Amino acid sequence: MERGDAASTNADWMSQLPEELWGIPLWDLAIPGSHDSMSYCLDRHSAVLGSESLVLQLLDRLAPCIVRPCVFRWATTQAWCIPDQLDAGIRFFDLRIAHKNIKNTHRTQDMLKTHNTDDTLYFAHAIYTLQTVKEALSTMAVWLEQHQKEVVILSCSHFYLLSDSEHQALVSYITQLFKDKLCPPQETPYLSQCWYLGQQVIVSYDNETILHQHKELWPKIPYWYADSADPKEVISYLEERQKAQGRAAHFFTSGLNLTEDTAVVVCNPCLTMRELTMKSFSLLLDWVEEQTPGPDLTAVNIICGDFVGLNNFASVVIGLNKKLLKTENHR
């Protein structure tokens, strides 16, 4: 994990937006987000998740010393921790939550030393993270106390091996941690309204059963991504979705993240997701600069990327909101 550069910060960018934009719904603003936000702390010794392909699971059992470093290189999509991502301006977090059964890991003794129990929840992307869900969320809560005009969107988008009781316990922890800072889906979120009510957290939860039981949770936020390692295909896919379908009525995400396949990994044994991403970012950011937020069908809202702290990604996305000033002035 790397530390962010405090000199280049967007820690309070929402509070610094022009007053003309305070009354615009958050889904009409351009908001930078991180894809697989917690992958900066993946456990390189972790077993591969049971949700991965049977072939990969078999190889993991046969040759973990070879497979796990490879999985770690390709599953790591972020370099900065949560506070540094927040300081950089990231306001949308893609959270993939998993139950880790200690008995099924190969590090039982190490795990027991940390006093973790079988009901501890972690994040995951092919392998588990070192940081727990509670640790990450509590870190966010501390940061929000220090930046009370910033609003974050927590997208709980994937779940692995969570029981009903674990879902309930997770939601209970979230509601107790953030309390009145939660913005319910019954309201249209504007910055001015969020500030007045002290609301700073929007939680999207991709589980219909739980969603119907908790009125404070938002439904799944659509995430457009191309499932390709080619940045030109990523751009083409996003543009085709814009033209053919148009933006969602509320929050939605355009993913700039590249996706490796077996061919890419096999043909590039020494390559990493970080190297692949950084080679492509100039082209991807050029596309971002051409976008416009707002209510139009071809507008963007949340834009997600990988390794968000290693370039000016967040600043470019935030800068798109200046285009809304021209629209407001012409009304």
Side-chain angles (χ1 to χ4, degrees):
M1 181 182 69
E2 301 176 19
R3 291 196 57 80
D5 179 5
S8 57
T9 180
N10 291 306
D12 298 292
W13 71 265
M14 286 183 161
S15 66
Q16 295 168 356
L17 285 176
E19 187 174 355
E20 297 94 316
L21 304 184
W22 296 355
I24 291 179
L26 293 185
W27 48 68
D28 286 341
L29 293 178
I31 299 174
S34 58
H35 163 250
D36 264 304
S37 307
M38 294 299 301
S39 63
Y40 64 86
C41 62
L42 291 176
D43 182 356
R44 65 178 68 237
H45 301 291
S46 165
V48 171
L49 266 67
S51 57
E52 297 301 309
S53 71
L54 292 177
V55 172
L56 185 58
Q57 293 181 59
L58 177 60
L59 291 174
D60 182 48
R61 294 190 186 99
L62 295 175
C65 60
I66 297 175
V67 172
R68 294 179 186 180
C70 181
V71 172
F72 178 83
R73 290 198 305 270
W74 286 100
T76 299
T77 66
Q78 301 299 335
W80 284 11
C81 66
I82 291 301
D84 286 344
Q85 290 186 40
L86 286 162
D87 284 342
I90 300 302
R91 294 295 177 267
F92 174 92
F93 294 89
D94 174 24
L95 305 178
R96 305 174 183 216
I97 299 169
H99 168 91
K100 177 161 64 172
N101 190 336
I102 293 177
K103 297 175 183 177
N104 291 334
T105 69
H106 295 272
R107 303 179 64 222
T108 303
Q109 294 302 318
D110 292 339
M111 294 298 297
L112 291 176
K113 288 178 183 177
T114 63
H115 305 291
N116 289 321
T117 59
D118 273 1
D119 62 354
T120 302
L121 297 181
Y122 291 79
F123 300 95
H125 187 211
I127 53 179
Y128 294 98
T129 60
L130 291 167
Q131 194 169 20
T132 68
V133 170
K134 287 186 177 181
E135 288 169 345
L137 293 181
S138 62
T139 298
M140 288 186 183
V142 171
W143 190 92
L144 289 169
E145 282 293 332
Q146 300 167 349
H147 303 268
Q148 296 190 3
K149 284 193 171 184
E150 300 302 301
V151 180
V152 299
I153 303 168
L154 309 183
S155 175
C156 301
S157 59
H158 295 71
F159 300 99
Y160 175 67
L161 292 182
L162 266 69
S163 64
D164 289 342
S165 62
E166 285 171 327
H167 275 293
Q168 296 292 353
L170 173 59
V171 174
S172 176
Y173 177 76
I174 290 172
T175 54
Q176 291 177 23
L177 177 65
F178 294 116
K179 298 179 180 176
D180 292 340
K181 290 185 182 296
L182 289 173
C183 175
Q186 294 79 16
E187 302 172 4
T188 298
Y190 307 89
L191 283 176
S192 57
Q193 176 179 294
C194 288
W195 295 342
Y196 177 75
L197 297 174
Q199 296 172 344
Q200 291 183 269
V201 183
I202 291 169
V203 179
S204 166
Y205 207 89
D206 189 11
N207 182 292
E208 289 296 326
T209 301
I210 300 300
L211 193 62
H212 290 267
Q213 297 173 9
H214 296 275
K215 62 182 181 180
E216 66 272 26
L217 300 176
W218 289 69
K220 176 182 179 179
I221 295 176
Y223 192 114
W224 297 355
Y225 74 102
D227 197 17
S228 173
D230 185 342
K232 293 182 180 178
E233 290 185 7
V234 170
I235 291 171
S236 177
Y237 171 84
L238 294 175
E239 290 180 343
E240 288 175 7
R241 288 291 298 263
Q242 284 178 323
K243 294 175 182 177
Q245 183 177 338
R247 60 154 298 157
H250 298 139
F251 291 115
F252 79 104
T253 305
S254 302
L256 300 182
N257 47 288
L258 306 179
T259 305
E260 83 289 352
D261 55 22
T262 303
V264 172
V265 176
V266 171
C267 295
N268 302 275
C270 297
L271 192 63
T272 66
M273 178 56 78
R274 175 168 173 164
E275 292 169 333
L276 183 67
T277 300
M278 300 314 292
K279 288 179 181 178
S280 306
F281 238 107
S282 177
L283 182 61
L284 294 171
L285 286 183
D286 285 345
W287 178 83
V288 172
E289 289 178 338
E290 296 173 357
Q291 305 309 301
T292 302
D296 294 343
L297 287 178
T298 57
V300 295
N301 175 212
I302 301 162
I303 302 178
C304 267
D306 288 337
F307 300 101
V308 293
L310 304 184
N311 47 57
N312 61 339
F313 163 76
S315 294
V316 171
V317 176
I318 294 167
L320 297 179
N321 290 303
K322 295 177 181 178
K323 298 181 181 181
L324 290 171
L325 294 175
K326 300 177 182 178
T327 304
E328 290 296 300
N329 291 335
H330 283 86
R331 288 182 176 177

